[in-house]
Amino acid sequence: MKATAIAPANIAFIKYWGKADPVTRVPQNNSISMNLSELHTTTTVEFDASFTEDSITFLDEGVVKKAEILKITNALDRIRVYSGVTLHAKVVTRNNFPKATGIASSASGFAALIVASLAALGKDTSNKNELSRLARLFSGTACRSIPDGFVEWEQGHNHESSYAVQIFPPDWWDIRDVVAIVTEEMKAVGSTEGHAIADTSLLYKARLSSVDAKIHAIKDAMQRKDFSVFGRILEEDSFNMHAVALTSSTPLVYWEPQTITIIKAVFALRAAGKAQGYVTIDAGPTVHVICESKDEENIVRVLQKISGVLRVVENKPARGARLWAEHLF
Ligand code: PMV
């Protein structure tokens, strides 16, 4: 049987940085994110007795690294064990954005893969907590691309208790994530290494001891739709995560010169009272500017004029992973 799923990328307002268990990817802290309407992965999976090996095709992408294919075949192995089947699979997948540039392609990719694979095997895909747990095994942030809208990944203490849940539906708050993409090249250091060495930073203990209070405060700001409090917390948390990365051994610098230029431009707009945007950056040079819809146009205009900004993508809060009727093969 063949099935297709679509899953969004997500942007974290309170970041996941560091794993308590590298095998199950149970994290060191809760994290909070929003699913993105315009950045997604579509994946079709078919399992069949006539296939003699797994075949994986990325549509519309140049060079695909062996390591990426291996991650997917490893995920398929786990899905086979989980589902009690031995069949090989054909997987065709398409991202509508460049991979590994600070947009969580592994999140949307593995969320789509788990939903499409289980559906292709005739399994139930209605238990979102279970889908989220399984997605986490392949990429931590993928667990947050399963529920709809605004999401909290509850750290938990083992596989069973660590998964993401919706905290507000997509239509709760009409905020935007204006994404400025500055490179289409794969980053040199992925997030896996960053998670692994986070605790070599002297700042990491301080980060972990302050996360619970931030989670509480940001959820409260989201509940009250207090945009400035919300923005200040999410921006601080992003710089806090990068401070840990920069002071890890060896130091990780995810930014490019354009990243700084964009940060300063957003600060300048805010200082001038022209638009209230707040920046957040994942493990790459791409800058996400979080704003209210009324400020979106101004921010987009400024970002588009910055030299080195290749593309600006305007996102609304979106639904999580789901089945999709149009197959890719
Ligand atoms: O790509 P992952 O699942 O290893 O984690 C990356 C984590 C950040 O994107 C840097 C932060 C976050 O919470 O999304």
Side-chain angles (χ1 to χ4, degrees):
M1 203 166 40
K2 190 193 283 187
T4 300
I6 187 165
N10 66 72
I11 181 64
F13 300 140
I14 302 294
K15 309 289 187 193
Y16 147 55
W17 200 239
K19 299 171 193 173
D21 176 3
V23 177
T24 57
R25 296 186 162 84
V26 170
Q28 289 281 13
N29 61 273
N30 286 24
S31 53
I32 303 246
S33 62
M34 175 180 107
N35 285 323
L36 304 177
S37 61
E38 306 307 317
L39 298 168
H40 47 76
T41 303
T42 309
T43 300
T44 300
V45 181
E46 181 175 18
F47 288 90
D48 195 276
S50 68
F51 300 154
T52 52
E53 58 181 11
D54 292 329
S55 86
I56 290 138
T57 310
F58 285 86
L59 297 179
D60 304 334
E61 303 220 13
V63 182
V64 179
K65 287 189 184 163
K66 272 198 181 138
E68 288 177 67
I69 301 285
L70 193 64
K71 274 190 195 165
I72 297 176
T73 47
N74 285 343
L76 289 169
D77 284 341
R78 281 186 131 150
I79 291 166
R80 278 186 278 262
V81 171
Y82 176 82
S83 311
V85 299
T86 52
L87 302 172
H88 288 293
K90 176 172 176 179
V91 176
V92 177
T93 187
R94 178 166 55 211
N95 290 322
N96 73 340
F97 57 90
K99 273 183 302 186
T101 51
I103 298 171
S105 65
S106 60
S108 54
F110 284 111
L113 182 72
I114 188 69
V115 175
S117 298
L118 292 186
L121 290 167
K123 304 282 174 198
D124 175 30
T125 55
S126 62
N127 182 340
K128 291 208 173 190
N129 295 354
E130 181 64 356
L131 294 176
S132 180
R133 275 187 205 103
L134 293 170
R136 166 183 36 77
L137 293 174
F138 312 140
S139 161
T141 50
C143 77
R144 297 193 312 236
S145 289
I146 298 286
D148 294 339
F150 299 89
V151 170
E152 178 168 10
W153 174 7
E154 292 172 2
Q155 174 189 10
H157 53 274
N158 57 17
H159 174 67
E160 203 47 38
S161 54
S162 183
Y163 55 89
V165 295
Q166 179 185 96
I167 48 174
F168 300 105
D171 61 0
W172 172 253
W173 203 6
D174 187 24
I175 59 169
R176 302 296 154 90
D177 175 9
V178 179
V179 183
I181 297 173
V182 299
T183 172
E184 304 222 343
E185 275 169 35
M186 296 280 276
K187 61 195 168 195
V189 188
S191 49
T192 306
E193 185 176 348
H195 290 296
I197 62 173
D199 65 356
T200 62
S201 165
L202 287 176
L203 306 182
Y204 192 54
K205 269 205 180 76
R207 168 169 177 76
L208 289 183
S209 67
S210 63
V211 169
D212 283 353
K214 273 194 277 194
I215 294 263
H216 182 78
I218 204 166
K219 281 190 343 194
D220 180 62
M222 291 165 88
Q223 175 75 47
R224 292 183 293 106
K225 299 184 184 164
D226 185 333
F227 187 73
S228 356
V229 170
F230 168 70
R232 281 200 299 271
I233 299 172
L234 74 88
E235 190 172 85
E236 187 280 335
D237 190 67
S238 169
F239 285 122
N240 187 304
M241 181 205 103
H242 284 274
V244 169
L246 286 164
T247 50
S248 292
S249 175
T250 53
L252 297 176
V253 186
Y254 286 113
W255 302 353
E256 293 295 334
Q258 298 93 327
T259 311
I260 314 259
T261 308
I262 297 166
I263 293 170
K264 297 220 162 178
V266 173
F267 284 9
L269 275 173
R270 224 156 73 199
K274 289 190 179 147
Q276 200 187 5
Y278 292 90
V279 297
T280 182
I281 304 164
D282 284 339
T286 301
V287 184
H288 297 248
V289 184
I290 310 299
C291 63
E292 291 177 293
S293 51
K294 67 178 171 58
D295 286 332
E296 183 178 18
E297 214 180 298
N298 261 343
I299 289 170
V300 170
R301 202 177 317 118
V302 167
L303 295 185
Q304 275 170 341
K305 279 197 207 126
I306 296 175
S307 142
V309 171
L310 305 178
R311 212 171 123 196
V312 174
V313 185
E314 299 165 57
N315 293 279
K316 296 179 180 175
R319 291 184 59 194
R322 59 204 181 276
L323 291 170
W324 198 247
E326 290 155 43
H327 300 310
L328 295 180
F329 65 90

